[in-house]
Structure formats: C-alpha cells, structure tokens
Amino acid sequence: MKKSEIKALINKMTLEEKVSLLSGKDAWSTVPIPRLGIPSINLSDGPHGLRCCQGLGWGESVPATCFPPAVLLACSFDEELAKKQGAAIGEEAQDQDVQIVLGPGNNIKRSPLGGRCFEYFSEDPVLSGHMAAGVIQGIQSKKVGTALKHFACNSQETDRFVIDEKVGERALNEIYLASFEYPVKKAKPTTLMCAYNKINGDYCSQSRWLLNDVLREQWGFEGFVMSDWGAVDNRAQGVYAGLELEMPGTGEENNRELKNAVNGGEVAMPAVDKRFKNKLNIKQIDKAVVRLLEVVFDLYEKKNGKKCDYEKHHKTAVEIAEECMVLLKNDGALPIKGGKTAVIGEMAVKPRYQGGGSSCVKAINVSSPLEAMKKYGKVEYAQGYSLSDDSDESMIKDAVKLAASCDRAVIICGLPNEYESEGFDRTHLNIPASHIKLIEEVAKKQKNTIVVLCNGAPVVMPFVDKVNALLEAYLGGEGAGEAIADLLYGKANPCGKLAETFPQRLENTPAYGNFPGENCEVTYAEGIYVGYRWYEKHKIPTLFPFGYGLSYTTFRYDGIKAEKTRLNEHDELKVTVKVTNTGKVDGKEVVQLYVRENAPKVSRPEKELKAFKKVFIKAGETKTVTLTLEDGAFAYYDEKHHCRRTDSGKFTLLAGGSSDNCPLSCEVEVKAEKIYDDITIHTRFCDLGDNPKGKIFMNKLFKATGAKLKKEFKYLPMDWPLRTLVQMYQSPLTMPQLMEIIRQANEE
Ligand code: BGC
C-alpha cells in the first residue's frame, strides 16, 4: 500500500484506533482494524532460528531449525554466510507465518561476563556490523522483516530494565553506535528494537536523541522502532521520541496515556525530556501510525506461506557451524586418524548448542557429537561429569581408565546452561571445577588429549598447556554434533577465527571494576578501549587474541599493496594482499586488514579492524585478495566538534590472519578535507601545520613582518599561542595587525 493510501486511511481513523495500533495486540502480533482492512502481522524471536510462540504459551514454540547463535556465526568472518543463515531463517518465517524476526542482536560485547554474549557477534563494531548486515539481508531477501536489537548499549543483564549506561560520546560513536550504524545504512532493517536500559540518563525507549536525531536524521532509517518487551517507561514521551510500537501490548493503560497527552488531559508519567511537555500533537501520532502501517502492509502483502525444507536447513546449520568453530591449539593430535577414541563428557550426548532465554529455539533435530563421531571410527564413551552438578570422583576415575585404554581422549565440556543465560550476568570466567579436574586427570594418563569446548562466551583455561588440541565449538546450533565430528576427523578443515578476545584472567578484562556497576549505574571507564583495543593499548597478554584461529593447513602472507599511497579522507581504498596455502590440504583463511594512525593527535588504538575477507585457497595455491577500506576507515570521533574526523597524516595498514599476527604492512598518507578550527590568537604554533588556513596565515604573516620574524619563528616553542608573536618579545607586529592577518586567513 502506498504512503498516500495509508494517509487516506488515517483520515478515517478515530484517535482510539490510532493509539491502539501503537501497541501490540498481545506478545507476538500487531493490532488489526478489520473495518479499515488493516491486517495484523506476527513477530517471533530470533535471532538464530525461530521461536514462534503464536497461540502457544510463553515457554512453548513451534519446532524450527536452530542455527549457530551469533557468538559462533561471527567466527566465520563471512557476511555471505550470515546471509545464507538469514535466508534460511527467512524461509522458515514464511512457512510459520511470521512477518518479523526479532533479530539479529548486535550489541558490543563490553565484558565477557555479559549474560547474553552468546546472542551478540563481537567486541568489534566493524565485524559486528557486517555480520548483522548479512543476517538482515538474508532474512529480508525472503520478504520477511527484521528487528535489529537491542538499540543501544544493552551491554549487560544485571538491572537491564533500569541500568543507566554512562558512556562517553566518543566510545558511543566509535564503538557502540557504530555497530548499529553500518547495518542500518547498508542492510536497511525493517524495524529496530530499542533496549531496556538508559544511556546517559535517558531510557532508550524515550530518547529522542537516539531514536530520532541519530537513527533517523543522521542514519536515514525509514522503518519503525518497537520497544523491547516491557521497555517502555513514559509511553507518550516514547512516541514523541520516535518509538512507534510498544511490545507487548499493554491494553488500555498506555493507550489512555497517549490519548491524554494528545487531548491535554492528565499524563501520569512525568516528562523527562525538557523538550517534551507531556503533550503530543495529533501529527506526531499520525506520523507514528504511518511509519508502522507502511511496514505492516508491506510485510503482510509479502506473505507467501511457502513450505520449506527443514532437512536441508539442518544440513545448512551443520555447514555453517563447520565454517565457524575455532581451532585454538593443535600439536598434531588433530585431525584424528585411526585407532580408538575415548569420548568423554556428558555434553557428548547432551550437547549444549544454544543459550537460554528468549532466543531459545525448540530445535528440530539435535545431533549428538558421540553419535556423529561413531560414523568415523571406533569410539567408547564415559560420562566424566554430570551436567546436573552431582559429579563424583568415580566418574573421573572411569573416564581416566577408559582414556588410558584408548589411542586418544576427546573431552567435550564447557559451560552448562545454568552458567550463562539471558537475565543474568556471569560473575567469573570459570567452567565447572569438575570439568577442569577431569581434563587434568585424563591428560595425566593419556598423552593425546583433545578438548572440545561448548560455551557461549570466553572462559579461562587453566588446563590449556596440558592438552594437545583444543577446539572452541562455542554454541553450535542443532548441527553442532556433526560439525564437531567433521572437524575432529578432518572431513572439514577448521577456518573460524575468534570474534572476541579470550583473556588470561577476569582482572585483565577492559570493564573489570566497572561491571555491572552499582546503584543502577555503570560507567564505561575504558572508553573506546574495548576488546583487543584494550589489551593492545595496555600491552596485556591474552589467552587467545581477537581474530585468531588455526587450520589443518598453513598460510603465508607475502605482499601487500595499496592502490594508491596518497588519498583524500573520503576516498575508498583498495588494498591487495597475497596469501599462499603452504600446507597439504585445501583450506580457508580470513584475511584481516587493520589500520593504525602513525602519529595521532588524540589517543587511538594500536590498530583497528577495518576490512576482512574469507577466502578458499587450494593446497599450494597463491591468491591475491582484494580488501576495500571504505570512507571513514581512518576516522575517529571528535568530541569537541561532535563529529567523525580524520586528521591529515600517515597511516599504517596491517594485514594478517590474526590481530596478533599481521606480517604485512604498508603506509599511506591521508589528507583531511575538512577544516575544523578557525585560527584564533590562542591557536598554538604546532596546530598551524595541520590546518590548511595555517599556511595562508604564515604567508600573510611573513609578508607583513619580513625576514626577521621568519628567522625567529624557528626558535619559538611550538606549544605557544599566536598572541605571543606580539606579546613575548619586541615584535614588529601589533595586536591589531595580528588580528587582521588572522581574520584574512580565516576568510580565504
Ligand atoms: C528480549 C528480546 C526478545 C523479547 C521477546 C526480551 O526480553 O530482550 O531480545 O526479543 O524479549 O521475547
């Protein structure tokens, strides 16, 4: 339906009808108005599979394919793969009559303790933004809507309904909003879901700055915003701010607030935003209804009810998991060849493949690692520990005995469900003590011990030096079991890379001491230094760095070339990197391109990921990989001028297969196009060189004052302000002359 037709419909609506549309019919659908032909559309969680509850209770949902959660999907570093997963979810949505999938979630992982880290992609905004864009494009390619969430700074579960996230303007823009900006602009999600929390004092659900100024005016978002479930505080202010749909529906309560706000009646909730005076005009309501109905009609018209092939989707889930799991250590123990394998750990038969909470899919076909391994060779199983936490010594003894009688042991363990979920944050980074003891005891008796970890976020690994190989399987979706077996036995070659840093200990993490805050406030004291930016800046060793992951083959990097070495700040830059597969098997490598400013004026990270590409390279083959640095790749956020800014200067481009291993580098020179500051009598001498007006000023100055000053100029301390040209020694220059030269330079 066209906008003009929707506007015509609005003229036929009563105020009651209009406000009724602005909150859900129930938890999973929008309000219809049959007399006007307005349909209802259905919403369902996501993000890594459908949790379609319509007509069912809160805890029940229709079976669907459980794809790898974001934590694992991100390790693919592959936007196309994210699209593939999104497209499959979109197909299931059409099949299950779902018009909006509530995802993807792309909050930045500020702390590995965050309870929903498994639902988010990364600690890095570029990686996170690209993966989210892929998922959105995939889902929307099947004519189904998305709800990019949770906008923004939903970095923790503790007090999530009330927590005030105190974030500096620079960190907000460079890290937390950047993660949303890219997918909003590139993939154009149909809707966004605002977060529960406050940012710097304002609830996201009623922040006009966030929902209007940033999202719509700066980024050009055209869809509608819905609240997270129960995130609305002041409903009328929310509509004023740009929150169209309240979810779930609250029935009459908030509708009354809206009507009163329009009619000048009593509004129960006090206004927080000074610009909003508890009053809405009908135009604001109309605008919200138009934005909502445009999406509702569009998605309703695109319903096709097509049946989909769930068996095929299971295979897709397995393939995606294989592209993502990360080989962290391998002394040659993997891939497994021949002999008898002791498979140990209850997770081998009851795999942990997704996290708890609203994203929990009723999976159709969960594969068990043990069963999948049986297809490849001789295996025997020992429980090793109990997931219901009544592990006892005898389980370990039996496992050690079995391990000693086999050619190798594969221990599958990690974080049980109770350790991480939506709704609470972790307080430590440990896996259960019984799992650690099991690994240590088995490794004493079996010199070929392989550990497979199933967890939704980083854990510490006191056992790391005692084992021969380590596969980070994360939470792998319903195909995790087959993917683990395929990778262990070498049917698939590991090619995932860590999308987050694994710290050596909790105390080393960026937000330590400032997470989860107190008295409902949390301060992002680490600023922009999140994830690898923190560890590199403070030279803190990690357990495993961002971008790291091994393969059964090896790659050599030998040649980087930027298409030009001098460019303007808004130019796109193509960079080519030569990579050779030097091993004996085919494999995929994630080529990562980082940028470092050589002599920054402000504190900047040691390097930042700006582009990446996953490539398949046959054994012995060399490939030239082209990466593109997009506009903004050299910028930082300038708090003084409230904008993104690039300074003229030299930058180093670093390329490699991990953040800690970038063997290639080259230098480019970037010229800033924008002039940020006028010259004043307080401008320092050292600032003149960076400011194009500085050159003009100097020419005019020397023209006016002659050779004497030009000679002296060299000896002036560079941090002195221009006024000292008149005041500090017997200068030929008067203050009115200096001011006139400054005026002329600024105007030219
Ligand atoms: C979660 C959202 C979810 C919604 C609906 C909320 O508690 O934060 O991510 O989409 O519930 O289940």
Side-chain angles (χ1 to χ4, degrees), residues 396 411 413 431 434-444 449 451 453 463 466-467:
I396 296 187
I411 302 172
C413 61
I431 62 171
S434 57
H435 297 207
I436 297 177
K437 178 111 194 279
L438 171 71
I439 297 171
E440 288 175 344
E441 293 302 317
V442 168
K444 274 186 207 158
T449 296
V451 171
L453 284 172
F463 49 83
K466 298 175 186 147
V467 301

Side-chain angles (χ1 to χ4, degrees), residues 110 164-167 511 514-517 521-526:
R110 178 175 173 245
D164 188 3
E165 315 268 337
K166 301 280 187 201
V167 201
N514 290 297
F515 184 96
E521 264 188 34
V522 60
T523 303
Y524 289 32
E526 70 286 356

Side-chain angles (χ1 to χ4, degrees), residues 534-646:
W534 168 265
Y535 298 95
E536 294 191 346
K537 193 75 182 173
H538 298 279
K539 304 211 175 341
I540 300 170
T542 62
L543 179 56
F544 295 106
F546 175 84
Y548 170 84
L550 303 170
S551 162
Y552 293 148
T553 187
T554 43
F555 298 98
R556 193 182 68 227
Y557 282 73
D558 45 13
I560 183 168
K561 196 168 182 310
E563 71 177 331
K564 49 189 171 194
T565 50
R566 282 165 178 260
L567 62 150
N568 286 329
E569 63 165 302
H570 296 298
D571 290 354
E572 210 184 76
L573 181 67
K574 295 231 178 310
V575 181
T576 50
V577 175
K578 247 193 209 168
V579 191
T580 304
N581 180 341
T582 48
K584 291 196 172 58
V585 286
D586 301 346
K588 284 188 180 172
E589 169 70 327
V590 176
V591 181
Q592 302 163 39
L593 185 62
Y594 296 84
V595 169
R596 168 194 298 150
E597 181 164 6
N598 293 4
K601 282 209 187 94
V602 295
S603 172
R604 294 198 72 174
E606 289 302 294
K607 63 179 179 304
E608 297 179 86
L609 182 75
K610 293 295 170 184
F612 54 88
K613 197 174 247 177
K614 191 167 204 173
V615 279
F616 171 75
I617 312 182
K618 288 197 151 148
E621 191 193 1
T622 299
K623 267 202 177 151
T624 302
V625 184
T626 304
L627 299 117
T628 305
L629 290 178
E630 291 173 1
D631 181 12
F634 303 98
Y636 63 94
Y637 187 86
D638 176 1
E639 290 200 341
K640 188 170 155 208
H641 296 93
H642 312 290
C643 62
R644 232 164 246 163
R645 163 176 187 166
T646 303

Side-chain angles (χ1 to χ4, degrees), residues 28 45 51 102 116 149-150 160 193 196 228-229 358 422:
W28 309 112
D45 278 304
R51 189 176 69 96
L102 304 176
R116 289 180 95 170
K149 65 189 187 183
H150 309 88
R160 66 177 169 160
M193 184 192 291
Y196 286 120
D228 197 346
W229 271 227
S358 62
E422 176 178 343

Side-chain angles (χ1 to χ4, degrees), residues 151-152 177 181 184-185 192-194 199 202-226 236-244 273 275-276 280 283-284 287-288 291:
F151 191 50
L177 294 181
E181 181 178 356
V184 165
K185 287 182 172 167
L192 255 85
M193 184 192 291
C194 75
I199 299 178
D202 279 341
Y203 278 112
C204 294
S205 62
Q206 59 202 42
S207 165
R208 193 167 162 89
W209 159 75
L210 185 70
L211 304 184
N212 184 69
D213 306 355
V214 171
L215 182 63
R216 270 138 179 155
E217 287 180 8
Q218 287 177 31
W219 300 352
F221 173 70
E222 287 178 346
F224 75 76
V225 179
M226 71 178 78
Q237 191 179 319
V239 172
Y240 165 80
L243 174 70
E244 282 78 29
D273 186 326
R275 295 172 291 179
F276 171 70
L280 281 175
K283 280 198 188 134
Q284 288 160 335
K287 199 166 159 187
R291 282 178 178 158

